[in-house]
Each structure stands twice: as structure tokens, then as C-alpha cells.
PDB file of all heavy atoms in Angstrom:
ATOM      1  N   MET A 121       5.817 -10.706  -9.062  1.00  0.00           N
ATOM      2  CA  MET A 121       6.654 -10.679  -7.873  1.00  0.00           C
ATOM      3  C   MET A 121       8.014 -10.080  -8.239  1.00  0.00           C
ATOM      4  O   MET A 121       8.545 -10.365  -9.304  1.00  0.00           O
ATOM      5  CB  MET A 121       6.835 -12.103  -7.337  1.00  0.00           C
ATOM      6  CG  MET A 121       7.513 -12.167  -5.988  1.00  0.00           C
ATOM      7  SD  MET A 121       7.594 -13.848  -5.333  1.00  0.00           S
ATOM      8  CE  MET A 121       5.887 -14.135  -4.949  1.00  0.00           C
ATOM      9  N   LYS A 122       8.559  -9.280  -7.363  1.00  0.00           N
ATOM     10  CA  LYS A 122       9.846  -8.653  -7.616  1.00  0.00           C
ATOM     11  C   LYS A 122      10.906  -9.737  -7.772  1.00  0.00           C
ATOM     12  O   LYS A 122      11.005 -10.650  -6.963  1.00  0.00           O
ATOM     13  CB  LYS A 122      10.179  -7.714  -6.458  1.00  0.00           C
ATOM     14  CG  LYS A 122      11.291  -6.760  -6.755  1.00  0.00           C
ATOM     15  CD  LYS A 122      11.376  -5.703  -5.672  1.00  0.00           C
ATOM     16  CE  LYS A 122      12.534  -4.787  -5.961  1.00  0.00           C
ATOM     17  NZ  LYS A 122      12.644  -3.707  -4.996  1.00  0.00           N
ATOM     18  N   SER A 123      11.733  -9.636  -8.811  1.00  0.00           N
ATOM     19  CA  SER A 123      12.673 -10.709  -9.126  1.00  0.00           C
ATOM     20  C   SER A 123      13.731 -10.934  -8.052  1.00  0.00           C
ATOM     21  O   SER A 123      14.205 -12.038  -7.870  1.00  0.00           O
ATOM     22  CB  SER A 123      13.351 -10.419 -10.470  1.00  0.00           C
ATOM     23  OG  SER A 123      14.041  -9.186 -10.406  1.00  0.00           O
ATOM     24  N   ASP A 124      14.120  -9.877  -7.315  1.00  0.00           N
ATOM     25  CA  ASP A 124      15.146 -10.046  -6.294  1.00  0.00           C
ATOM     26  C   ASP A 124      14.551 -10.313  -4.911  1.00  0.00           C
ATOM     27  O   ASP A 124      15.251 -10.261  -3.909  1.00  0.00           O
ATOM     28  CB  ASP A 124      16.066  -8.828  -6.253  1.00  0.00           C
ATOM     29  CG  ASP A 124      15.343  -7.546  -5.853  1.00  0.00           C
ATOM     30  OD1 ASP A 124      14.100  -7.544  -5.851  1.00  0.00           O
ATOM     31  OD2 ASP A 124      16.026  -6.551  -5.546  1.00  0.00           O
ATOM     32  N   GLN A 125      13.248 -10.598  -4.866  1.00  0.00           N
ATOM     33  CA  GLN A 125      12.605 -10.888  -3.583  1.00  0.00           C
ATOM     34  C   GLN A 125      13.156 -12.205  -3.059  1.00  0.00           C
ATOM     35  O   GLN A 125      13.042 -13.235  -3.695  1.00  0.00           O
ATOM     36  CB  GLN A 125      11.087 -10.950  -3.783  1.00  0.00           C
ATOM     37  CG  GLN A 125      10.302 -10.924  -2.492  1.00  0.00           C
ATOM     38  CD  GLN A 125       8.832 -10.631  -2.742  1.00  0.00           C
ATOM     39  OE1 GLN A 125       8.485  -9.815  -3.563  1.00  0.00           O
ATOM     40  NE2 GLN A 125       7.973 -11.318  -2.005  1.00  0.00           N
ATOM     41  N   SER A 126      13.770 -12.155  -1.880  1.00  0.00           N
ATOM     42  CA  SER A 126      14.463 -13.335  -1.351  1.00  0.00           C
ATOM     43  C   SER A 126      13.547 -14.289  -0.601  1.00  0.00           C
ATOM     44  O   SER A 126      13.939 -15.395  -0.273  1.00  0.00           O
ATOM     45  CB  SER A 126      15.592 -12.887  -0.422  1.00  0.00           C
ATOM     46  OG  SER A 126      15.058 -12.121   0.647  1.00  0.00           O
ATOM     47  N   ALA A 127      12.335 -13.851  -0.297  1.00  0.00           N
ATOM     48  CA  ALA A 127      11.394 -14.693   0.436  1.00  0.00           C
ATOM     49  C   ALA A 127       9.994 -14.454  -0.108  1.00  0.00           C
ATOM     50  O   ALA A 127       9.767 -13.519  -0.871  1.00  0.00           O
ATOM     51  CB  ALA A 127      11.445 -14.352   1.926  1.00  0.00           C
ATOM     52  N   ILE A 128       9.073 -15.322   0.275  1.00  0.00           N
ATOM     53  CA  ILE A 128       7.661 -15.105  -0.044  1.00  0.00           C
ATOM     54  C   ILE A 128       7.040 -14.509   1.214  1.00  0.00           C
ATOM     55  O   ILE A 128       6.976 -15.163   2.259  1.00  0.00           O
ATOM     56  CB  ILE A 128       6.963 -16.422  -0.436  1.00  0.00           C
ATOM     57  CG1 ILE A 128       7.605 -16.998  -1.701  1.00  0.00           C
ATOM     58  CG2 ILE A 128       5.467 -16.180  -0.643  1.00  0.00           C
ATOM     59  CD1 ILE A 128       7.119 -18.376  -2.075  1.00  0.00           C
ATOM     60  N   TYR A 129       6.650 -13.269   1.119  1.00  0.00           N
ATOM     61  CA  TYR A 129       6.109 -12.566   2.273  1.00  0.00           C
ATOM     62  C   TYR A 129       4.600 -12.760   2.351  1.00  0.00           C
ATOM     63  O   TYR A 129       3.916 -12.834   1.333  1.00  0.00           O
ATOM     64  CB  TYR A 129       6.428 -11.073   2.182  1.00  0.00           C
ATOM     65  CG  TYR A 129       7.907 -10.790   2.204  1.00  0.00           C
ATOM     66  CD1 TYR A 129       8.574 -10.399   1.048  1.00  0.00           C
ATOM     67  CD2 TYR A 129       8.640 -10.938   3.377  1.00  0.00           C
ATOM     68  CE1 TYR A 129       9.934 -10.152   1.066  1.00  0.00           C
ATOM     69  CE2 TYR A 129       9.994 -10.694   3.400  1.00  0.00           C
ATOM     70  CZ  TYR A 129      10.642 -10.301   2.250  1.00  0.00           C
ATOM     71  OH  TYR A 129      11.989 -10.068   2.266  1.00  0.00           O
ATOM     72  N   TYR A 130       4.104 -12.834   3.585  1.00  0.00           N
ATOM     73  CA  TYR A 130       2.673 -12.988   3.797  1.00  0.00           C
ATOM     74  C   TYR A 130       2.263 -12.233   5.054  1.00  0.00           C
ATOM     75  O   TYR A 130       3.087 -11.886   5.896  1.00  0.00           O
ATOM     76  CB  TYR A 130       2.285 -14.465   3.906  1.00  0.00           C
ATOM     77  CG  TYR A 130       2.769 -15.133   5.177  1.00  0.00           C
ATOM     78  CD1 TYR A 130       1.971 -15.140   6.332  1.00  0.00           C
ATOM     79  CD2 TYR A 130       4.018 -15.747   5.237  1.00  0.00           C
ATOM     80  CE1 TYR A 130       2.412 -15.742   7.501  1.00  0.00           C
ATOM     81  CE2 TYR A 130       4.468 -16.346   6.405  1.00  0.00           C
ATOM     82  CZ  TYR A 130       3.657 -16.334   7.534  1.00  0.00           C
ATOM     83  OH  TYR A 130       4.105 -16.920   8.689  1.00  0.00           O
ATOM     84  N   LEU A 131       0.959 -11.990   5.151  1.00  0.00           N
ATOM     85  CA  LEU A 131       0.397 -11.391   6.357  1.00  0.00           C
ATOM     86  C   LEU A 131      -0.959 -12.024   6.609  1.00  0.00           C
ATOM     87  O   LEU A 131      -1.783 -12.125   5.705  1.00  0.00           O
ATOM     88  CB  LEU A 131       0.246  -9.873   6.201  1.00  0.00           C
ATOM     89  CG  LEU A 131      -0.235  -9.112   7.449  1.00  0.00           C
ATOM     90  CD1 LEU A 131       0.738  -9.285   8.615  1.00  0.00           C
ATOM     91  CD2 LEU A 131      -0.418  -7.632   7.147  1.00  0.00           C
ATOM     92  N   THR A 132      -1.163 -12.483   7.841  1.00  0.00           N
ATOM     93  CA  THR A 132      -2.434 -13.089   8.213  1.00  0.00           C
ATOM     94  C   THR A 132      -3.287 -12.065   8.952  1.00  0.00           C
ATOM     95  O   THR A 132      -2.769 -11.117   9.544  1.00  0.00           O
ATOM     96  CB  THR A 132      -2.230 -14.316   9.122  1.00  0.00           C
ATOM     97  OG1 THR A 132      -1.542 -13.906  10.301  1.00  0.00           O
ATOM     98  CG2 THR A 132      -1.442 -15.399   8.418  1.00  0.00           C
ATOM     99  N   GLY A 133      -4.597 -12.272   8.901  1.00  0.00           N
ATOM    100  CA  GLY A 133      -5.499 -11.371   9.597  1.00  0.00           C
ATOM    101  C   GLY A 133      -6.932 -11.841   9.515  1.00  0.00           C
ATOM    102  O   GLY A 133      -7.235 -12.826   8.837  1.00  0.00           O
ATOM    103  N   PRO A 134      -7.827 -11.109  10.194  1.00  0.00           N
ATOM    104  CA  PRO A 134      -9.219 -11.532  10.259  1.00  0.00           C
ATOM    105  C   PRO A 134     -10.011 -11.309   8.970  1.00  0.00           C
ATOM    106  O   PRO A 134     -11.040 -11.932   8.757  1.00  0.00           O
ATOM    107  CB  PRO A 134      -9.793 -10.687  11.402  1.00  0.00           C
ATOM    108  CG  PRO A 134      -8.934  -9.464  11.422  1.00  0.00           C
ATOM    109  CD  PRO A 134      -7.570  -9.915  11.004  1.00  0.00           C
ATOM    110  N   SER A 135      -9.537 -10.399   8.110  1.00  0.00           N
ATOM    111  CA  SER A 135     -10.255 -10.116   6.862  1.00  0.00           C
ATOM    112  C   SER A 135      -9.295  -9.496   5.850  1.00  0.00           C
ATOM    113  O   SER A 135      -8.239  -8.973   6.219  1.00  0.00           O
ATOM    114  CB  SER A 135     -11.412  -9.135   7.111  1.00  0.00           C
ATOM    115  OG  SER A 135     -10.896  -7.850   7.430  1.00  0.00           O
ATOM    116  N   ARG A 136      -9.687  -9.553   4.588  1.00  0.00           N
ATOM    117  CA  ARG A 136      -8.853  -8.949   3.534  1.00  0.00           C
ATOM    118  C   ARG A 136      -8.685  -7.452   3.777  1.00  0.00           C
ATOM    119  O   ARG A 136      -7.594  -6.917   3.625  1.00  0.00           O
ATOM    120  CB  ARG A 136      -9.480  -9.194   2.159  1.00  0.00           C
ATOM    121  CG  ARG A 136      -8.660  -8.574   1.039  1.00  0.00           C
ATOM    122  CD  ARG A 136      -9.269  -8.760  -0.340  1.00  0.00           C
ATOM    123  NE  ARG A 136      -8.500  -8.033  -1.319  1.00  0.00           N
ATOM    124  CZ  ARG A 136      -7.475  -8.521  -1.986  1.00  0.00           C
ATOM    125  NH1 ARG A 136      -7.085  -9.757  -1.791  1.00  0.00           N
ATOM    126  NH2 ARG A 136      -6.824  -7.783  -2.870  1.00  0.00           N
ATOM    127  N   ARG A 137      -9.764  -6.798   4.167  1.00  0.00           N
ATOM    128  CA  ARG A 137      -9.700  -5.351   4.389  1.00  0.00           C
ATOM    129  C   ARG A 137      -8.706  -5.003   5.499  1.00  0.00           C
ATOM    130  O   ARG A 137      -7.911  -4.072   5.368  1.00  0.00           O
ATOM    131  CB  ARG A 137     -11.086  -4.827   4.734  1.00  0.00           C
ATOM    132  CG  ARG A 137     -11.133  -3.328   4.841  1.00  0.00           C
ATOM    133  CD  ARG A 137     -12.544  -2.839   5.026  1.00  0.00           C
ATOM    134  NE  ARG A 137     -12.554  -1.400   5.032  1.00  0.00           N
ATOM    135  CZ  ARG A 137     -13.628  -0.672   5.113  1.00  0.00           C
ATOM    136  NH1 ARG A 137     -14.809  -1.245   5.179  1.00  0.00           N
ATOM    137  NH2 ARG A 137     -13.563   0.626   5.122  1.00  0.00           N
ATOM    138  N   ALA A 138      -8.743  -5.756   6.595  1.00  0.00           N
ATOM    139  CA  ALA A 138      -7.824  -5.511   7.705  1.00  0.00           C
ATOM    140  C   ALA A 138      -6.379  -5.720   7.264  1.00  0.00           C
ATOM    141  O   ALA A 138      -5.494  -4.928   7.604  1.00  0.00           O
ATOM    142  CB  ALA A 138      -8.158  -6.409   8.885  1.00  0.00           C
ATOM    143  N   VAL A 139      -6.139  -6.774   6.494  1.00  0.00           N
ATOM    144  CA  VAL A 139      -4.780  -7.087   6.068  1.00  0.00           C
ATOM    145  C   VAL A 139      -4.263  -6.067   5.059  1.00  0.00           C
ATOM    146  O   VAL A 139      -3.154  -5.552   5.192  1.00  0.00           O
ATOM    147  CB  VAL A 139      -4.706  -8.523   5.492  1.00  0.00           C
ATOM    148  CG1 VAL A 139      -3.362  -8.779   4.830  1.00  0.00           C
ATOM    149  CG2 VAL A 139      -4.949  -9.546   6.591  1.00  0.00           C
ATOM    150  N   GLU A 140      -5.063  -5.736   4.051  1.00  0.00           N
ATOM    151  CA  GLU A 140      -4.558  -4.830   3.019  1.00  0.00           C
ATOM    152  C   GLU A 140      -4.360  -3.401   3.512  1.00  0.00           C
ATOM    153  O   GLU A 140      -3.612  -2.638   2.907  1.00  0.00           O
ATOM    154  CB  GLU A 140      -5.438  -4.865   1.762  1.00  0.00           C
ATOM    155  CG  GLU A 140      -6.810  -4.284   1.904  1.00  0.00           C
ATOM    156  CD  GLU A 140      -7.673  -4.519   0.669  1.00  0.00           C
ATOM    157  OE1 GLU A 140      -7.178  -5.092  -0.328  1.00  0.00           O
ATOM    158  OE2 GLU A 140      -8.838  -4.130   0.700  1.00  0.00           O
ATOM    159  N   ASN A 141      -4.991  -3.042   4.638  1.00  0.00           N
ATOM    160  CA  ASN A 141      -4.797  -1.704   5.210  1.00  0.00           C
ATOM    161  C   ASN A 141      -3.805  -1.705   6.365  1.00  0.00           C
ATOM    162  O   ASN A 141      -3.627  -0.677   7.032  1.00  0.00           O
ATOM    163  CB  ASN A 141      -6.147  -1.142   5.678  1.00  0.00           C
ATOM    164  CG  ASN A 141      -7.069  -0.846   4.508  1.00  0.00           C
ATOM    165  OD1 ASN A 141      -6.644  -0.284   3.513  1.00  0.00           O
ATOM    166  ND2 ASN A 141      -8.313  -1.248   4.623  1.00  0.00           N
ATOM    167  N   SER A 142      -3.157  -2.822   6.616  1.00  0.00           N
ATOM    168  CA  SER A 142      -2.232  -2.945   7.748  1.00  0.00           C
ATOM    169  C   SER A 142      -0.984  -2.090   7.540  1.00  0.00           C
ATOM    170  O   SER A 142      -0.385  -2.087   6.457  1.00  0.00           O
ATOM    171  CB  SER A 142      -1.819  -4.407   7.927  1.00  0.00           C
ATOM    172  OG  SER A 142      -0.797  -4.505   8.893  1.00  0.00           O
ATOM    173  N   PRO A 143      -0.551  -1.382   8.584  1.00  0.00           N
ATOM    174  CA  PRO A 143       0.696  -0.612   8.476  1.00  0.00           C
ATOM    175  C   PRO A 143       1.927  -1.496   8.266  1.00  0.00           C
ATOM    176  O   PRO A 143       2.957  -1.020   7.785  1.00  0.00           O
ATOM    177  CB  PRO A 143       0.783   0.137   9.808  1.00  0.00           C
ATOM    178  CG  PRO A 143      -0.194  -0.479  10.719  1.00  0.00           C
ATOM    179  CD  PRO A 143      -1.201  -1.199   9.879  1.00  0.00           C
ATOM    180  N   HIS A 144       1.828  -2.794   8.584  1.00  0.00           N
ATOM    181  CA  HIS A 144       2.963  -3.698   8.397  1.00  0.00           C
ATOM    182  C   HIS A 144       3.412  -3.772   6.936  1.00  0.00           C
ATOM    183  O   HIS A 144       4.547  -4.135   6.648  1.00  0.00           O
ATOM    184  CB  HIS A 144       2.601  -5.108   8.870  1.00  0.00           C
ATOM    185  CG  HIS A 144       2.272  -5.190  10.317  1.00  0.00           C
ATOM    186  ND1 HIS A 144       0.981  -5.146  10.778  1.00  0.00           N
ATOM    187  CD2 HIS A 144       3.057  -5.286  11.408  1.00  0.00           C
ATOM    188  CE1 HIS A 144       0.985  -5.222  12.101  1.00  0.00           C
ATOM    189  NE2 HIS A 144       2.230  -5.306  12.513  1.00  0.00           N
ATOM    190  N   LEU A 145       2.511  -3.455   6.023  1.00  0.00           N
ATOM    191  CA  LEU A 145       2.809  -3.595   4.596  1.00  0.00           C
ATOM    192  C   LEU A 145       3.533  -2.392   3.990  1.00  0.00           C
ATOM    193  O   LEU A 145       4.062  -2.495   2.880  1.00  0.00           O
ATOM    194  CB  LEU A 145       1.502  -3.804   3.809  1.00  0.00           C
ATOM    195  CG  LEU A 145       0.691  -5.052   4.151  1.00  0.00           C
ATOM    196  CD1 LEU A 145      -0.616  -5.055   3.379  1.00  0.00           C
ATOM    197  CD2 LEU A 145       1.492  -6.304   3.837  1.00  0.00           C
ATOM    198  N   GLU A 146       3.560  -1.268   4.685  1.00  0.00           N
ATOM    199  CA  GLU A 146       4.037  -0.010   4.088  1.00  0.00           C
ATOM    200  C   GLU A 146       5.440  -0.106   3.487  1.00  0.00           C
ATOM    201  O   GLU A 146       5.655   0.269   2.335  1.00  0.00           O
ATOM    202  CB  GLU A 146       3.977   1.112   5.127  1.00  0.00           C
ATOM    203  CG  GLU A 146       2.569   1.468   5.523  1.00  0.00           C
ATOM    204  CD  GLU A 146       2.486   2.440   6.689  1.00  0.00           C
ATOM    205  OE1 GLU A 146       3.541   2.866   7.206  1.00  0.00           O
ATOM    206  OE2 GLU A 146       1.367   2.770   7.087  1.00  0.00           O
ATOM    207  N   GLY A 147       6.381  -0.607   4.251  1.00  0.00           N
ATOM    208  CA  GLY A 147       7.757  -0.703   3.758  1.00  0.00           C
ATOM    209  C   GLY A 147       7.899  -1.695   2.620  1.00  0.00           C
ATOM    210  O   GLY A 147       8.705  -1.501   1.706  1.00  0.00           O
ATOM    211  N   PHE A 148       7.113  -2.767   2.669  1.00  0.00           N
ATOM    212  CA  PHE A 148       7.177  -3.783   1.621  1.00  0.00           C
ATOM    213  C   PHE A 148       6.580  -3.251   0.316  1.00  0.00           C
ATOM    214  O   PHE A 148       7.108  -3.511  -0.757  1.00  0.00           O
ATOM    215  CB  PHE A 148       6.468  -5.062   2.093  1.00  0.00           C
ATOM    216  CG  PHE A 148       7.204  -5.737   3.221  1.00  0.00           C
ATOM    217  CD1 PHE A 148       6.961  -5.381   4.541  1.00  0.00           C
ATOM    218  CD2 PHE A 148       8.158  -6.704   2.960  1.00  0.00           C
ATOM    219  CE1 PHE A 148       7.648  -5.990   5.582  1.00  0.00           C
ATOM    220  CE2 PHE A 148       8.859  -7.320   3.993  1.00  0.00           C
ATOM    221  CZ  PHE A 148       8.608  -6.944   5.302  1.00  0.00           C
ATOM    222  N   ARG A 149       5.491  -2.512   0.434  1.00  0.00           N
ATOM    223  CA  ARG A 149       4.911  -1.879  -0.759  1.00  0.00           C
ATOM    224  C   ARG A 149       5.890  -0.880  -1.349  1.00  0.00           C
ATOM    225  O   ARG A 149       6.042  -0.778  -2.565  1.00  0.00           O
ATOM    226  CB  ARG A 149       3.612  -1.158  -0.396  1.00  0.00           C
ATOM    227  CG  ARG A 149       2.424  -2.058  -0.301  1.00  0.00           C
ATOM    228  CD  ARG A 149       1.137  -1.233  -0.244  1.00  0.00           C
ATOM    229  NE  ARG A 149       0.018  -2.091  -0.042  1.00  0.00           N
ATOM    230  CZ  ARG A 149      -0.875  -1.960   0.936  1.00  0.00           C
ATOM    231  NH1 ARG A 149      -0.771  -0.978   1.805  1.00  0.00           N
ATOM    232  NH2 ARG A 149      -1.877  -2.789   1.053  1.00  0.00           N
ATOM    233  N   ASP A 150       6.538  -0.117  -0.468  1.00  0.00           N
ATOM    234  CA  ASP A 150       7.491   0.898  -0.902  1.00  0.00           C
ATOM    235  C   ASP A 150       8.637   0.282  -1.704  1.00  0.00           C
ATOM    236  O   ASP A 150       9.156   0.890  -2.634  1.00  0.00           O
ATOM    237  CB  ASP A 150       8.035   1.635   0.334  1.00  0.00           C
ATOM    238  CG  ASP A 150       8.834   2.860  -0.023  1.00  0.00           C
ATOM    239  OD1 ASP A 150       8.282   3.758  -0.681  1.00  0.00           O
ATOM    240  OD2 ASP A 150      10.028   2.928   0.352  1.00  0.00           O
ATOM    241  N   LYS A 151       9.016  -0.942  -1.345  1.00  0.00           N
ATOM    242  CA  LYS A 151      10.090  -1.651  -2.052  1.00  0.00           C
ATOM    243  C   LYS A 151       9.578  -2.410  -3.276  1.00  0.00           C
ATOM    244  O   LYS A 151      10.357  -3.014  -3.997  1.00  0.00           O
ATOM    245  CB  LYS A 151      10.777  -2.639  -1.108  1.00  0.00           C
ATOM    246  CG  LYS A 151      11.523  -1.978   0.028  1.00  0.00           C
ATOM    247  CD  LYS A 151      12.766  -1.309  -0.479  1.00  0.00           C
ATOM    248  CE  LYS A 151      13.545  -0.689   0.670  1.00  0.00           C
ATOM    249  NZ  LYS A 151      14.655   0.132   0.181  1.00  0.00           N
ATOM    250  N   GLY A 152       8.259  -2.429  -3.486  1.00  0.00           N
ATOM    251  CA  GLY A 152       7.693  -3.125  -4.635  1.00  0.00           C
ATOM    252  C   GLY A 152       7.517  -4.617  -4.435  1.00  0.00           C
ATOM    253  O   GLY A 152       7.333  -5.364  -5.399  1.00  0.00           O
ATOM    254  N   TYR A 153       7.555  -5.083  -3.187  1.00  0.00           N
ATOM    255  CA  TYR A 153       7.375  -6.505  -2.919  1.00  0.00           C
ATOM    256  C   TYR A 153       5.899  -6.869  -2.897  1.00  0.00           C
ATOM    257  O   TYR A 153       5.065  -6.103  -2.446  1.00  0.00           O
ATOM    258  CB  TYR A 153       7.971  -6.887  -1.556  1.00  0.00           C
ATOM    259  CG  TYR A 153       9.478  -6.802  -1.487  1.00  0.00           C
ATOM    260  CD1 TYR A 153      10.100  -6.459  -0.298  1.00  0.00           C
ATOM    261  CD2 TYR A 153      10.273  -7.082  -2.586  1.00  0.00           C
ATOM    262  CE1 TYR A 153      11.486  -6.385  -0.211  1.00  0.00           C
ATOM    263  CE2 TYR A 153      11.654  -7.008  -2.513  1.00  0.00           C
ATOM    264  CZ  TYR A 153      12.250  -6.666  -1.325  1.00  0.00           C
ATOM    265  OH  TYR A 153      13.616  -6.597  -1.244  1.00  0.00           O
TER     266      TYR A 153
END
């Protein structure tokens, strides 16, 4: 986990595949969270 991450981020969804391909994650991945 990124050391300066101020929160524990999560995303809920119907399946792992749906969640890991979600556009909601793009900015967080870009920041290394």
C-alpha cells in the first residue's frame, strides 16, 4: 500500500472481473494506490 495513502480505498461490485475493469479505478491506479 502506498505509504502516503490517507484512506483505505475499496470498490464493491457483482464480480472481481467487473470491479477490476471499472473505470472508477483509473485515477487511483495512476497514483499507485
